[in-house]
């Protein structure tokens, strides 16, 4: 996958390492002095993270369409393709407005879900408008998909999961930001497992039975870091950087490991943006082969 386009190995590896270094420094200084990097870290990280998660939804949605085509089902309609193009910008706008600009409760003094000192926020009734747009979008989407002559059951279930996760962020962000990243991580595991499977013409590297154990082993440091935060954390965790509330700041080693962990997450946003460029024919061909498509 790293050699599917000219210059891609250099771009992916050099860019990801650079992002890793910058992110580690940025997060470490954020934990040392939050107010100095609130916008540079908390806002940007939530924007990138939400965009990345929604983009993966759209990509898997497209793969469901390819799989349906291989099974002899009709392709997506023009309206479904249009709604698919709208998904990331529309849902990104709804979710970011919800967490940054809608107060948690009625009243003039109620802060937004993520209070970063942004000052006055929108009226609490704005949440109703956001939910109306979300509901209208998914009602139109399901009406379009279910009206097809032959419907792909797995695709409908996946679209239902997308609707549930994004709707939960709007209604109850604390729970939504458990489901949305959790869903993203499970999707990533499944995609990675498929891409590691041996394909015709491959040089044998990793036997199929070792794929999942190898993936789990590679993720153990981050899983262990999350477990430590879970044991030390007190109170509600809010947003992608909610774990900074008094835990990492009082444990210098934990602060360093957490900063590195978040930087790894930031670096993988950069790598994915290059590895999954399906619009480039050579990358598309390699990725579809790795995912098991002809």
């Amino acid at each position: 996958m790293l050699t599917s386009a000219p210059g891609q190995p250099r771009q992916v590896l050099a860019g990801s390492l650079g992002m890793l270094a910058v992110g580690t420094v940025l997060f470490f200084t954020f934990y040392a002095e939050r107010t100095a990097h609130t916008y540079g870290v908390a806002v940007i990280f939530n924007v990138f993270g939400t965009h990345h998660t929604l983009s993966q939804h759209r990509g898997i949605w497209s793969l469901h369409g390819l799989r349906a085509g291989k099974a002899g089902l009709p392709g997506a309609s023009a309206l479904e393709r249009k709604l698919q193009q709208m998904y990331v910008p529309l849902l990104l706008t709804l979710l970011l407005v919800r967490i940054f600009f809608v107060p948690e409760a009625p009243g003039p003094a109620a802060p937004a879900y993520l209070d970063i000192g942004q000052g006055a926020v929108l009226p609490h009734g704005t949440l109703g408008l956001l939910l109306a747009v979300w509901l209208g979008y998914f009602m139109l989407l399901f009406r379009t998909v279910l009206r097809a002559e032959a419907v792909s059951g797995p695709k409908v279930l996946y679209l239902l999961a997308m609707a549930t996760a994004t709707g939960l962020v709007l209604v109850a962000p604390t729970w939504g930001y458990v489901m949305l990243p959790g869903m993203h991580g499970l999707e990533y595991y499944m995609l990675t497992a498929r891409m590691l499977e041996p394909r015709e013409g491959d040089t044998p590297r990793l036997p199929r039975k070792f794929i999942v154990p190898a993936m789990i082993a590679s993720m153990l440091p981050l899983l262990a870091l999350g477990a430590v935060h879970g044991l030390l954390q007190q109170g509600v965790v809010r947003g992608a950087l909610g774990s900074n509330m008094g835990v990492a700041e009082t444990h210098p080693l934990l602060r360093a490991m957490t900063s590195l962990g978040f930087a790894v997450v930031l670096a993988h946003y950069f790598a994915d943006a290059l590895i999954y460029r399906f619009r480039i024919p050579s990358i598309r061909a390699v990725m579809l082969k790795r995912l098991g498509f002809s």
Side-chain angles (χ1 to χ4, degrees):
M1 292 184 290
L2 290 178
T3 59
S4 54
Q8 184 155 318
R10 181 173 58 256
Q11 294 173 8
V12 173
L13 296 176
S16 297
L17 287 174
M19 185 68 74
L20 183 67
V22 172
T24 301
V25 172
L26 202 59
F27 287 120
F28 191 83
T29 55
F30 173 76
Y31 282 119
E33 178 50 57
R34 277 203 305 260
T35 57
H37 296 286
T38 296
Y39 288 97
V41 178
V43 175
I44 293 175
F45 194 64
N46 278 279
V47 171
F48 271 95
T50 306
H51 181 274
H52 178 78
T53 301
L54 296 175
S55 296
Q56 183 167 289
H57 287 175
R58 184 181 182 276
I60 295 179
W61 182 358
S62 299
L63 292 177
H64 274 290
L66 288 174
R67 178 61 72 194
K70 287 177 67 68
L73 298 175
S77 65
L79 180 55
E80 182 184 342
R81 289 195 296 270
K82 183 66 176 177
L83 291 170
Q84 192 177 74
Q85 293 172 354
M86 293 172 55
Y87 178 74
V88 175
L90 177 63
L91 271 295
L92 180 66
T93 301
L94 294 180
L95 299 190
L96 292 180
V97 169
R98 171 64 176 102
I99 63 174
F100 285 121
F101 300 108
V102 175
E104 279 292 87
Y113 171 74
L114 285 183
D115 185 5
I116 53 171
Q118 62 267 55
V121 293
L122 297 170
H124 186 260
T126 307
L127 177 58
L129 177 61
L130 299 180
L131 287 170
V133 174
W134 170 86
L135 182 62
Y137 173 84
F138 279 105
M139 286 182 63
L140 180 59
L141 174 59
F142 282 109
R143 180 174 179 271
T144 303
V145 171
L146 294 175
R147 288 183 66 183
E149 295 180 4
V151 181
S152 168
K155 182 172 79 170
V156 172
L157 289 175
Y158 184 69
L159 294 178
L160 182 61
M162 286 167 38
T164 303
T166 53
L168 192 59
V169 172
L170 293 175
V171 175
T174 300
W175 289 104
Y177 273 103
V178 172
M179 181 177 181
L180 198 65
M183 180 178 172
H184 173 74
L186 291 174
E187 291 169 355
Y188 215 97
Y189 264 103
M190 289 185 285
L191 285 172
T192 304
R194 289 186 67 87
M195 289 188 286
L196 286 172
E197 288 185 9
R199 304 295 176 191
E200 185 178 353
D202 283 352
T203 301
R205 293 182 179 179
L206 186 65
R208 183 179 278 108
K209 64 180 179 180
F210 292 135
I211 290 176
V212 172
M215 291 164 54
I216 294 175
S218 70
M219 289 294 291
L220 279 178
L222 283 178
L223 295 174
L225 184 62
V228 170
H229 271 280
L231 292 172
L232 296 178
Q233 183 69 40
Q234 295 181 357
V236 176
V237 175
R238 291 178 176 266
L241 293 179
S243 55
N244 64 57
M245 298 297 184
V247 176
E249 288 140 328
T250 57
H251 300 78
L253 179 60
L254 182 60
R255 180 195 305 173
M257 297 302 297
T258 303
S259 300
L260 181 60
F262 275 130
V264 168
V265 175
L266 198 61
H268 107 273
Y269 296 160
F270 182 90
D272 277 6
L274 298 178
I275 291 174
Y276 290 95
R277 291 179 295 177
F278 273 56
R279 66 183 181 276
I280 298 177
S282 61
I283 293 180
R284 180 182 177 88
V286 170
M287 294 300 296
L288 290 182
K289 176 188 175 182
R290 298 257 42 101
L291 289 168
F293 292 88
S294 58

